[in-house]
């Protein structure tokens, strides 16, 4: 039996039940840590559940920032320095990843408070998380303001990509389960996916065919 | 050992290995079916891996559309009728969900070709997927064109929300694993998440505390 809530019912919910509910309705979200550096040289790390693929040629991604969030240090650093990293959260660092959402003071690095390892390579300004199996070095491209609620959509271009070699199948695909990449439900629930199936490109009037799961066709 | 690809290395990859790789790097994506109806009365259903939460007050979501995709029927119908539904994909319908990505002709409904059940309720124009444990009736709000690659970001407002009552915890949270909601890796891999932990709101200089997983605090 399904429960039905109208727009008005949702608006009338108390703040936290509303936030918990509405953050779950679109399904699971990606789980990433965004690493930046301030012009004063302080590194910053923040958990994001809104990083999404935006295109492969050129390789770009986007994420959203709510108005007045504590993660504003991330955005200020990106605007000031033009670079940031995206680091996938795996099952062994979910507690540390969540702890980056606490409102630390501006002169304190979340790498220090969480114990996650700050990594620099290929002369890239922003810090990577050494514990992540997949790391992306991004250049800031643009911001779109969503005028309906003041959220910001930030676009980044992929300049560097690092991933554990054993994750990749012969068709290019990354087996995220081998890196124990997690996903997020709502604001605060971390989950570990298990692969079910991959399917071939679908065509009308043909049955859907399964692919080899790991991409080694 | 991590493999390193620069922007130029990625650009030089062949088309399909590049698409497979870059679609995996941001982690798992949400798995939803968007239901629409044309002005001629033909229903349409299409799988999307880019639906994201955009705010709780008011409740809004967004998804992206690549230029020249087969899913353009979805967008044309949304512009013409102003309404669409978002239906979570669960483990029992992943093959049907994937089959909606085939390029069916305009006068053919994917509900017919997949066998998924078309559902109408509360005088809402767009069709829901009866098999989905979580269904959202949305009103079209706006489109933002991402000028860097021609992608469209489409914003919808939540008008109706339906979910299986047993999914919800006392704090509002939806236990997606009870509905067997899946997520997507890359273009074509479906995975089923298992919950690991929920955490309390994080505060500086306090240990991260676990919450009861199902939201029944």
């Amino acid at each position: 039996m399904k429960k039905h809530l109208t727009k008005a019912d949702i608006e009338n919910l108390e703040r936290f039940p509303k936030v918990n509910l509405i953050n779950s309705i679109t399904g699971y979200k990606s789980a990433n840590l965004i690493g930046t550096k301030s012009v004063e040289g302080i590194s910053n790390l923040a958990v994001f559940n809104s990083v999404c693929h935006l295109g492969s040629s050129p390789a770009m991604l986007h994420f959203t920032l709510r108005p007045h969030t504590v993660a504003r240090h991330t955005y200020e650093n990106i605007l000031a320095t033009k670079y940031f990293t995206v680091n996938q959260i795996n099952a062994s660092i979910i507690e540390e990843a969540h702890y980056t959402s606490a409102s630390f003071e501006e002169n304190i690095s979340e790498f220090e408070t969480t114990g996650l390892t700050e990594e620099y390579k290929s002369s890239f300004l922003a810090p990577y998380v050494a514990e992540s199996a997949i790391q992306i070095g991004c250049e800031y491209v643009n911001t779109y303001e969503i005028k309906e609620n003041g959220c910001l959509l930030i676009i980044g271009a992929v300049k560097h990509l690092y991933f554990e070699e054993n994750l990749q199948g012969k068709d290019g695909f990354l087996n995220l389960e081998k890196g124990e990449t997690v996903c997020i439900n709502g604001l605060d629930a971390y989950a570990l996916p298990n692969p079910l199936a991959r399917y071939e490109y679908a065509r009308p009037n043909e049955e859907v065919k399964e692919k080899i799961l790991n991409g080694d066709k």
Side-chain angles (χ1 to χ4, degrees), chain A:
Chain A
M1 182 64 191
K2 286 198 179 86
K3 189 168 179 174
H4 176 208
L5 297 178
T6 64
K7 185 178 195 300
D9 295 333
I10 295 168
E11 277 167 7
N12 288 330
L13 291 172
E14 286 179 44
R15 182 177 166 209
F16 287 110
K18 174 161 48 179
V19 167
N20 284 328
L21 174 63
I22 302 303
N23 270 277
S24 289
I25 63 174
T26 54
Y28 291 100
K29 298 178 266 200
S30 63
N32 289 286
L33 287 161
I34 296 187
T36 56
K37 183 157 260 194
S38 72
V39 286
E40 293 81 15
I42 311 290
S43 56
N44 187 285
L45 195 63
V47 58
F48 279 83
N49 62 23
S50 63
V51 178
C52 290
H53 167 83
L54 181 65
S56 301
S57 295
M60 298 200 298
L61 52 81
H62 65 74
F63 64 95
T64 51
L65 216 55
R66 286 188 295 282
H68 320 301
T69 61
V70 295
R72 283 294 186 148
H73 291 163
T74 297
Y75 188 50
E76 289 161 13
N77 291 348
I78 291 173
L79 289 183
T81 69
K82 305 298 177 196
Y83 294 99
F84 62 101
T85 68
V86 173
N87 307 270
Q88 284 198 10
I89 299 170
N90 55 53
S92 66
I93 61 168
I94 56 175
E95 193 174 313
E96 292 86 343
H98 189 73
Y99 193 39
T100 64
S101 63
S103 303
F104 297 107
E105 287 172 42
E106 210 168 324
N107 60 350
I108 293 175
S109 165
E110 288 80 6
F111 283 101
E112 279 173 45
T113 57
T114 62
L116 290 169
T117 311
E118 201 166 345
E119 185 183 19
Y120 293 92
K121 47 196 176 188
S122 295
S123 306
F124 198 73
L125 175 135
Y128 295 95
V129 177
E131 288 82 355
S132 292
I134 301 175
Q135 305 163 317
I136 314 170
C138 291
E139 183 171 12
Y140 171 72
V141 171
N142 206 350
T143 298
Y144 290 85
E145 191 190 344
I146 308 298
K147 64 171 195 259
E148 286 75 17
N149 66 359
C151 278
L152 302 177
L153 185 88
I154 290 112
I155 316 280
V158 178
K159 303 289 281 182
H160 294 280
L161 173 63
Y162 301 86
F163 54 87
E164 296 291 345
E165 289 196 64
N166 70 326
L167 301 186
Q168 193 169 38
K170 287 180 183 153
D171 70 353
F173 180 76
L174 296 182
N175 290 280
L176 298 181
E177 78 281 5
K178 283 194 193 167
E180 295 204 316
T181 297
V182 300
C183 59
I184 294 177
N185 174 19
L187 288 171
D188 51 26
Y190 296 79
L192 184 62
N194 287 311
L196 291 174
R198 286 188 75 192
Y199 295 114
E200 298 282 352
Y201 185 83
R203 291 184 173 81
N205 309 317
E206 281 183 25
E207 274 189 33
V208 171
K209 294 179 203 70
E210 282 204 36
K211 264 186 191 176
I212 293 174
L213 253 175
N214 68 4
D216 286 344
K217 53 180 177 184

